[in-house]
Amino acid sequence: MVEQTQAEQHEHGRGGEAPRVVLGVSGGIAAYKACELLRRFAESGHDVQVVPTASALHFVGAATWSALSGHPVSEQVWESVHEVPHVRIGQSADLVVVAPATADLLARAAGGLADDLLTNTLLTARCPVVFAPAMHTEMWEHPATQENVAKLRSRGAVVVEPDVGRLTGEDSGKGRFPDPAEIFALCRRVLARGPEALVPDLAGRHVVISAGGTREPLDPVRFLGNRSSGKQGYALARTAAARGARVTLVAANSSLPAPAGVEVVEVGTARELRAAMVSAAGEADAVVMAAAVADFRPAEYAAGKIKKRSGAEPDPLALVRNPDVLAELGAERPREGQVLVGFAAETDDVLAHGREKLRAKGCDLLVVNEVGEDRTFGSEENEAVVLAADGGETPVPYGPKETLAERVWDLVAERLG
Ligand code: CTP
């Protein structure tokens, strides 16, 4: 039986319901960027209640928040009083994220004030709370703000460091609202694992990950390829970077944007991927082969486009074997103590094939998942069992590819000690 941890129940919502997120918005120009954050939550199946402050509504009106979230929106405690919103919203949340958080909002939260619906919500929430501050550099650096941030952090809240860059108007400096995609990724991690997900347990480690699917050219316009999107490998890279690792991502034909802070090496064929992996693996603490590598390539590459000759049957396609990168890394073990992780995509008899593959390829961990026409490829979700060479078996229930990535890093971090 697959047991759900408390964190997983949060990520999948209580009793399978959508996770409940409160998006608090305080009065700064970055409020318009919080619309993008709201869209990301809503489109990925979260139930979002927006709680703006009165000043936030000067920047973005209640109609926008309501239309994007699908819920009525109010900044006051005096509306729908029979539903006791000042207590209910905070109590029933799985995550509260305040984005943007102004200096004033941070001060009121640190002081425990409850003078509007958002600050009431912050006092009643028992779930993780994330603040994404945005303000001018002077306000951010002011000792009052810094003390408030320290106080909120000491109580377990996550306060994201603002970015450095262009601020409202001409000036630039620290205080810029972080990229909504980054805040979203961070919130997803906190939802899945709680604030401890942000401890950088891979700091000082170098990890090398392959992602995507190789393409084996037949002629200048055709190739043999596969349906891998690269999303699982990119999720592994993003989460490893977030846990403090230096990350090299060897990406085969993926159209996904490079995750922040990750070194991306682009490759096309299996042989290019092998060369990049062997070169990077020499000094890596962990290597993860998440790419779908073609086992075969056309025996001959036609320099000109292969033409159909009228009336003639096409020539049979001769194939030759590609190198097995994982098996080679497993046999050679380029660095002592290196943790080697493979993936296995199977369509049937999944666990038996997985055990056999783990042994044959000589890796420490093998993530086994079932694939098919409409399963796993290109989707945002995945379900897997992580098999370990020491006999361990860790089921990871159906959920975001980030959650599976986090489990893989948990197991890698344990083995790295
Ligand atoms: N792999 C590899 N080099 C290959 C083929 C696969 O490094 N030429 C790696 C994949 O990145 C994955 C693991 O081996 O981590 C298993 O891949 P999979 O396609 O499931 O297995 P195959 O070895 O190709 O075996 P089969 O197709 O017979 O199931």
Side-chain angles (χ1 to χ4, degrees), residues 199-230:
V199 174
D201 59 351
L202 294 175
R205 303 293 190 178
H206 179 203
V207 304
V208 177
I209 301 156
S210 70
T214 63
R215 289 180 182 175
E216 311 300 322
L218 188 55
D219 68 15
V221 295
R222 303 183 180 96
F223 58 81
L224 297 183
N226 60 67
R227 285 148 47 87
S228 173
S229 65

Side-chain angles (χ1 to χ4, degrees), residues 210 270 289-295 322-327 341-346 357 361 366:
S210 70
M289 280 292 301
V293 186
D295 289 321
N322 265 332
D324 187 324
V325 188
L326 182 60
V341 186
F343 270 71
E346 304 291 347
K357 214 170 260 185
K361 305 232 183 191
L366 190 84

